Amino acid sequence: MAVVPREKLKLRDNKELISPPALVAPLYQCAKAVTIVGFIPNATLDVRVDNSITISGAPGGSPMPAGCTLKLPAPLVAGQVVQARQHFQGGASAWSAPVTVRDHTLDYPTGPPRPEIDPAPVYQCGSRTGVNNLLTGSDVWITADMAEVGRVDGASQHQGVNVNPDYLLNQRVRAWSQLCNDPSPPSQEFVTQAPPAPFPGITFDPIFAGGQQLALNGLVNGARFQLSRNGVNQGTWRTWGVRHLVGLNPAFSTGEVFSATQTMCPNSPPSNPGTGVVQPCSALPAPDVGPVQEGDTSITLTSFVPDAEIRVFVNGVKTGDGSGPVVLLTKALQDGDTVDVLQVLGTCVGNTVQELQVRCMDPPIAGDPSVLDLFPVGNDDYDGGTTTSLGQTLHVKGTVYYPAEDDGKGQPFNRRVAEHGPIPIVFMAHGNHDASVPSHLGYDYFQQQLARMGIIAVSVFSNETNNTGLSATNIHRRADLIIASIQHFQNLNAGGDPVFGGRVDLSRVGLMGHSRGAEAVLVVPETITLQGVVIQCVISLAPVNAGASSGKPHGYTFLTILPAADGDVIDNNGAQFYDQAQPFPLRSQVYVYFANHNFFNRQWTNDDTNGGLPIMSRADHERVLSAYGCAFYRDRLLGHNTRGFLLGAILPANVQTGNVYLSYSLDDALTVDNYEDGNGINLNSLGQPNSQSGGLTATENAFSQTGATRFDDSFFGNTIGMVAKTKEANGTYRWALSRPVNLAGREIWIRAADVYDGTQPPDTTGFQLGMETTTGSVVWVDSDNVGGLPDAFSRRTYDLTQWYASDKTKTMPRTLRFPGHCFQKTRKAMFRAVRIRMNRRKARPLAFDDLQIVPK
Amino acid sequence: MSFDADNKERQRKHPDPWYLPEIVSIEAVRVHFKKPVLHAVGPKRTETSEAVELRVRTVEEFPVRALSPALFIGDVVVNEYSAVDKHLYRFVSYETQRLKPGTRISLGWFGSDIKKKTKTKFTLELLREETR
């Protein structure tokens, strides 16, 4: 990606080409409004329902921040098909992709999701409140001390609601919603607080000539702000705070001065004024653009002026014209296409353009799988008495979070959830830590996230097994404690417990363990004998390996999270478990740079590297566990479509995914070679010949610390793989397939790594993967075109200053996925072999494993 | 009004997570169990009637973390222990036949492929036999 001067490009504009806008989907029956996004600022909008235009020429205004919500003449009915289009400067777009209206009870059988007061908290004298997590077109209202103080019928997903009268101090505020007379649960309750003091000033985003929308920041929730333009009062606005966009007319001119102050209570003084000065058109920057990959039919902007028109050119030809954050294109992108994106403010056309190349594979950010918020969350402590494990008596207790009628301790189980049958349950187990610390409370954030999406989440108190040696016996005791807690909840479920009686589906059990607890959760499935309990899936977070399990996770879906900057479990032993895990139907490994051992647990406050390694914030650690953990349990326990996060097809929002490297495999893939067959380097797992040429030499090696055939000491897993070296440019390795394959709808997956040799290279390396057709030609795709090979996470300097004084920097392969369409340039082409070519100058040794052809 | 200042509680633990405290004494006894005791050997659970117990007194506490200190007696790793008292740990080995009296005892870490060990001044000497 690069910013280039527009004048240097020959961009062919086409004023008649306008992108269709997008309808915010899904749309549900009874919705009284639709929201349209992605249109050009000040375009006019049409909406048609079942091919009949029901709204015509509606002024769109600015598409930011939340699009244009248009009231419908009649509520929607399930099965209707809704589309939108825009008109701008005499041109008209095509109709948007059709959205079929659904019955919301199909997606939300227990009622609409829980509204969220966002932002929070709310303040005395607040005049407006934001409510998020709404179904488009639903009704939303606010209560203060249970009296309705504001309402919007036909709301957008994140709706501002004006409050009358303003809040008093210490009022209990909640938001409510309904669709089709089906009520949601109430939002979390907030008690109004005294406004912040001192009252903060307002700041402005950069303002550019030609624009018509101001972005104000630093606003207090519920405040009123007064805006002046060149000293002339423009009026007073209510705001839900933080950030607010204001549209003005006429367009801004260079040098104009805007100022704003905010106030809350009538007797309190306003804030100091904030000011913004309009910059000339020449200062308008290029927008920032998210990843694009072959097949994409839209681009996503990550930074742009809110009221800018966004024009997209592909290979110099205009292919899209709309607004951020998503611009639809008129044709799909191809690998290698050059995409230029510029922003326009009225008559001001940006002087610079963001230019990028389309990659074969560059997964998009596709939301945050941890934010599904359906229900209030109840919690409680539980006490299951004692159990005896290997001669030691241990207390069976911990905490539980569950979907409830309301938030708080001891709340009744959610009635509507209960009406739909028992729900899955997850048990969490902490590791060895100071026994005076309540370690089991450290995953409360994750427990709450699971509970609010409909999973009971238990955290097991294991402190009585702490301050002990790391031994198989200790790990088994921890496993017994988990099993005893499972049995306790089985008893509650069967015994008519008022909260959990009949509400727990023990055929859908998930486990999550951390540190020693992460090995214990591998022992549980191998030792549990409770009838009716089925362990579906296990997360092993930064596990030790005391040899307490078989070391071969099987019969359940396995996910391990490995912190590369672990200052405690310095070998990242979970790599051994991943390597030996059977995909059921998948396995996944999340290797996280700049993550330490402790910061996934909120009670473990010390950085286990003692500041010796650069690490992410604690919040970023938690987001890794939340995002990948929720995606994992939603896929395995709730049947949600979140598997793509675990297979690298999509990226979770709010996670530092640049630090995350995944490995994964599926059980229904065709394994070309995994080197586990004992048939030597010259035969692959299909029994077909492998060959080396062009100066490349390859050997089968143990990717472990102890294997006799290990290549060097930088491998920490437990598998056999291949290390390839080349003396000449373009050394090649070839795997013959047992029969020709067509790659339509398939992908090539391979684990690969730059072999760490004790030094940190100046730049990253890579290779090319080629597919050889039955006629002998080869289509090559570079590893950089599908995500690339990172340098190893360097910890050498740190390790050498520790007591053990040995380098624990690791060669950790990641899975690269090469989509078949990047090779399948003709529909009928068939491929008879897979190749790699080491085409880098001064090519370093590369490690490979698990070459698979995978149905997409 | 004056201000209070600088009274952070002293950290009780040794700041180095790899700190191995000096061993003050090791008292080893062979124990015969009247009733076999259960323990885990790898993924399996087994009963044993005999063990060697080593009471290890140290000058400071062991760090409490995922990995743990262990005694290395010849090629036998003794990594099962519990804290009995302040600075006193009870290590247990069920590999009684492989423990040879007179073998030098080293202290190191279990749970990683760390080669480094710290030799102690102690050798394995079985002081007595006990029946429990």
Side-chain angles (χ1 to χ4, degrees):
Chain A
M1 192 147 40
V3 175
V4 296
R6 177 167 53 87
E7 286 181 354
K8 288 193 172 180
L9 305 172
K10 293 179 180 174
L11 303 178
R12 282 179 283 165
D13 203 351
N14 173 3
K15 292 192 186 310
E16 293 179 1
L17 189 145
I18 301 173
S19 296
L23 278 163
V24 174
L27 289 175
Y28 291 113
Q29 176 162 284
C30 302
K32 298 169 182 169
V34 295
T35 299
I36 302 167
V37 296
F39 53 88
I40 299 170
N42 299 317
T44 56
L45 304 172
D46 298 340
V47 175
R48 73 178 181 187
V49 179
D50 285 344
N51 291 320
S52 174
I53 294 177
T54 56
I55 297 173
S56 178
S62 174
M64 288 295 290
C68 178
T69 297
L70 296 173
K71 304 285 186 204
L72 295 163
L76 294 172
V77 175
Q80 286 180 323
V81 175
V82 185
Q83 293 173 283
R85 71 179 174 190
Q86 62 174 322
H87 301 267
F88 186 71
Q89 293 181 344
S93 74
W95 288 100
S96 64
V99 177
T100 302
V101 178
R102 294 170 58 83
D103 181 340
H104 79 276
T105 61
L106 297 175
D107 294 344
Y108 300 98
T110 52
R114 186 185 202 198
E116 295 173 347
I117 290 180
D118 178 20
V122 286
Y123 295 112
Q124 177 191 16
C125 303
S127 62
R128 182 174 170 85
T129 294
V131 185
N132 208 343
N133 204 34
L134 299 169
L135 299 182
T136 300
S138 63
D139 301 334
V140 57
W141 65 99
I142 304 276
T143 59
D145 290 339
M146 293 306 292
E148 183 175 316
V149 292
R151 165 181 286 270
V152 172
D153 290 342
S156 59
Q157 285 180 341
H158 193 177
Q159 179 67 53
V161 181
N162 287 343
V163 172
N164 292 298
D166 295 351
Y167 295 128
L168 304 174
L169 186 62
N170 293 324
Q171 282 193 305
R172 290 171 292 116
V173 176
R174 301 195 99 149
W176 311 71
S177 78
Q178 69 166 15
L179 185 67
C180 278
N181 294 317
D182 186 6
S184 73
S187 73
Q188 182 182 345
E189 180 178 276
F190 289 92
V191 177
T192 54
Q193 305 175 10
F199 218 50
I202 294 173
T203 60
F204 289 80
D205 276 3
I207 312 167
F208 302 100
Q212 290 187 273
Q213 196 173 39
L214 300 171
L216 294 81
N217 301 295
L219 296 158
V220 174
N221 192 345
R224 290 175 170 86
F225 66 88
Q226 188 182 58
L227 178 67
S228 295
R229 181 174 188 172
N230 302 321
V232 178
N233 184 14
Q234 302 295 299
T236 300
W237 282 260
R238 297 181 181 205
T239 180
W240 75 48
V242 184
R243 179 175 166 85
H244 199 112
L245 299 180
V246 176
L248 294 173
N249 201 17
F252 311 144
S253 300
T254 303
E256 282 196 285
V257 177
F258 292 90
S259 66
T261 58
Q262 57 181 330
T263 57
M264 286 292 279
C265 298
N267 56 353
S268 61
S271 68
N272 291 328
T275 59
V277 179
V278 179
Q279 301 178 38
C281 174
S282 57
L284 180 64
D288 289 332
V289 182
V292 289
Q293 60 183 355
E294 177 161 317
D296 281 357
T297 55
S298 64
I299 62 142
T300 301
L301 293 101
T302 54
S303 173
F304 56 98
V305 177
D307 61 329
E309 174 188 353
I310 303 294
R311 295 178 187 166
V312 183
F313 301 82
V314 178
N315 301 326
V317 178
K318 189 176 174 188
T319 310
D321 193 344
S323 63
V326 177
V327 179
L328 299 180
L329 307 177
T330 53
K331 70 168 195 169
L333 297 172
Q334 299 294 312
D335 182 16
D337 280 347
T338 299
V339 178
D340 294 295
V341 186
L342 70 85
Q343 52 188 350
V344 178
L345 280 174
T347 57
C348 170
V349 181
N351 285 335
T352 55
V353 172
Q354 194 67 250
E355 185 169 274
L356 62 158
Q357 305 295 317
V358 177
R359 287 180 166 186
C360 174
M361 178 80 181
D362 200 355
I365 295 167
D368 183 344
S370 70
V371 299
L372 179 65
D373 186 3
L374 301 178
F375 312 111
V377 174
N379 70 86
D380 219 333
D381 301 325
Y382 69 92
D383 186 345
T386 60
T387 189
T388 301
S389 171
L390 300 173
Q392 186 177 359
T393 300
L394 301 166
H395 286 89
V396 180
K397 60 181 185 177
T399 62
V400 57
Y401 289 74
Y402 55 93
E405 282 293 284
D406 207 345
D407 299 308
K409 192 162 187 173
Q411 289 288 332
F413 199 88
N414 187 280
R415 179 181 55 79
R416 294 188 67 175
V417 172
E419 287 170 0
H420 282 79
I423 63 172
I425 187 166
V426 166
F427 292 85
M428 304 181 186
H430 64 83
N432 197 46
H433 202 76
D434 184 336
S436 67
V437 173
S439 295
H440 67 296
L441 303 182
Y443 313 105
D444 57 352
Y445 64 99
F446 191 32
Q447 289 177 277
Q448 289 176 46
Q449 287 164 341
L450 295 176
R452 71 190 189 195
M453 58 183 67
I455 297 173
I456 301 167
V458 177
S459 186
V460 178
F461 172 84
S462 307
N463 272 7
E464 289 172 341
T465 65
N466 281 1
N467 203 4
T468 54
L470 172 57
S471 67
T473 298
N474 180 252
I475 300 299
H476 278 255
R477 284 198 178 111
R478 292 171 186 273
D480 284 350
L481 267 180
I482 299 167
I483 293 170
S485 284
I486 296 174
Q487 183 164 29
H488 175 67
F489 278 88
Q490 191 176 37
N491 293 341
L492 295 179
N493 185 56
D497 179 78
V499 177
F500 295 105
R503 273 83 191 248
V504 188
D505 183 354
L506 288 144
S507 70
R508 286 186 288 165
V509 173
L511 304 178
M512 192 287 281
H514 184 188
S515 195
R516 290 195 194 180
E519 187 177 8
V521 293
L522 306 184
V523 172
V524 170
E526 297 178 355
T527 55
I528 193 168
T529 57
L530 295 173
Q531 291 294 314
V533 174
V534 182
I535 311 288
Q536 298 282 359
C537 50
V538 175
I539 296 176
S540 185
L541 167 60
V544 297
N545 186 358
S549 76
S550 68
K552 303 174 189 296
H554 59 281
Y556 53 86
T557 313
F558 177 76
L559 169 70
T560 188
I561 299 174
L562 306 180
D566 199 318
D568 194 333
V569 184
I570 54 178
D571 286 356
N572 288 140
N573 301 82
Q576 299 161 347
F577 298 134
Y578 172 81
D579 284 344
Q580 291 295 311
Q582 292 177 0
F584 191 85
L586 65 93
R587 60 175 176 165
S588 187
Q589 173 180 292
V590 181
Y591 184 54
V592 190
Y593 284 21
F594 306 107
N596 71 7
H597 187 80
N598 282 353
F599 281 5
F600 300 94
N601 183 313
R602 286 189 171 178
Q603 297 292 329
W604 295 0
T605 55
N606 64 301
D607 169 14
D608 39 281
T609 75
N610 266 339
L613 285 170
I615 58 168
M616 302 186 294
S617 70
R618 176 179 291 278
D620 285 326
H621 283 70
E622 293 179 4
R623 287 187 195 109
V624 169
L625 176 58
S626 294
Y628 289 98
C630 287
F632 183 71
Y633 290 133
R634 287 178 66 181
D635 172 60
R636 301 314 303 152
L637 300 178
L638 296 175
H640 292 175
N641 183 23
T642 52
R643 189 175 299 184
F645 294 107
L646 308 168
L647 301 180
I650 47 178
L651 302 178
N654 306 320
V655 172
Q656 291 202 29
T657 51
N659 294 339
V660 175
Y661 298 96
L662 300 181
S663 294
Y664 38 82
S665 67
L666 292 167
D667 64 349
D668 61 350
L670 172 69
T671 298
V672 178
D673 211 348
N674 63 10
Y675 306 97
E676 304 293 325
D677 312 285
N679 57 4
I681 191 71
N682 294 322
L683 283 178
N684 60 42
S685 300
L686 300 173
Q688 300 300 306
N690 298 336
S691 58
Q692 307 166 26
S693 61
L696 181 145
T697 56
T699 50
E700 284 190 346
N701 298 99
F703 286 3
S704 70
Q705 286 285 285
T706 54
T709 60
R710 62 188 186 278
F711 180 78
D712 63 20
D713 288 335
S714 70
F715 292 85
F716 285 75
N718 185 16
T719 187
I720 307 290
M722 177 180 90
V723 176
K725 298 183 284 186
T726 190
K727 292 178 181 171
E728 302 169 23
N730 296 325
T732 301
Y733 193 86
R734 180 182 186 273
W735 295 265
L737 303 177
S738 49
R739 61 172 182 270
V741 296
N742 185 284
L743 291 178
R746 293 191 171 96
E747 294 188 347
I748 313 297
W749 292 4
I750 190 168
R751 285 188 89 195
D754 179 9
V755 177
Y756 173 68
D757 66 357
T759 62
Q760 202 62 18
D763 51 13
T764 56
T765 187
F767 65 97
Q768 291 177 311
L769 188 139
M771 291 302 298
E772 180 183 306
T773 68
T774 48
T775 59
S777 62
V778 183
V779 184
W780 296 99
V781 173
D782 198 280
S783 58
D784 286 347
N785 211 7
V786 294
L789 296 182
D791 288 343
F793 179 78
S794 177
R795 48 182 297 160
R796 178 183 174 83
T797 303
Y798 165 79
D799 287 323
L800 295 183
T801 60
Q802 303 302 301
W803 176 84
Y804 52 89
S806 62
D807 189 355
K808 296 291 181 180
T809 303
K810 297 170 183 70
T811 299
M812 187 69 81
R814 67 176 299 199
T815 301
L816 293 173
R817 44 192 303 167
F818 293 77
H821 56 68
C822 297
F823 305 96
Q824 193 79 43
K825 298 303 180 188
T826 63
R827 197 162 52 91
K828 289 185 178 175
M830 300 292 285
F831 299 91
R832 66 184 184 193
V834 184
R835 294 184 183 213
I836 54 164
R837 184 161 70 182
M838 297 178 67
N839 66 332
R840 301 301 199 264
R841 289 181 62 195
K842 297 181 181 176
R844 302 194 288 271
L846 299 179
F848 296 98
D849 197 9
D850 293 339
L851 173 62
Q852 297 186 307
I853 299 176
V854 185
K856 202 171 179 182
Chain B
M1 189 177 77
S2 62
F3 294 91
D4 198 0
D6 289 344
N7 194 28
K8 186 179 182 183
E9 279 200 89
R10 194 173 68 82
Q11 197 168 1
R12 289 183 295 127
K13 310 293 181 198
H14 196 284
D16 181 0
W18 299 97
Y19 170 70
L20 289 172
E22 184 185 340
I23 293 179
V24 176
S25 65
I26 297 180
E27 185 179 299
V29 296
R30 187 183 299 273
V31 181
H32 302 280
F33 301 106
K34 292 177 185 170
K35 185 179 172 188
V37 296
L38 266 172
H39 65 102
V41 179
K44 294 201 163 50
R45 298 177 185 204
T46 187
E47 288 187 335
T48 310
S49 300
E50 189 178 81
V52 169
E53 189 176 293
L54 300 103
R55 292 176 179 232
V56 176
R57 187 170 293 280
T58 57
V59 296
E60 284 194 59
E61 293 175 25
F62 287 149
V64 180
R65 41 173 292 198
L67 308 189
S68 73
L71 301 178
F72 294 82
I73 308 173
D75 59 356
V76 177
V77 183
V78 186
N79 54 308
E80 190 166 321
Y81 71 77
S82 55
V84 177
D85 201 351
K86 193 177 182 185
H87 305 170
L88 181 62
Y89 298 90
R90 186 174 71 95
F91 283 77
V92 180
S93 173
Y94 302 101
E95 299 184 82
T96 54
Q97 301 304 313
R98 294 177 59 212
L99 287 171
K100 305 298 181 197
T103 307
R104 173 74 63 188
I105 299 175
S106 296
L107 186 61
W109 286 90
F110 179 75
S112 170
D113 284 308
I114 298 171
K115 309 291 187 288
K116 185 176 174 181
K117 311 284 183 294
T118 299
K119 281 186 180 171
T120 71
K121 59 187 177 186
F122 301 97
T123 57
L124 178 65
E125 305 298 340
L126 292 168
L127 296 181
R128 61 184 179 276
E129 301 207 356
E130 292 182 3
T131 301
R132 294 178 190 164

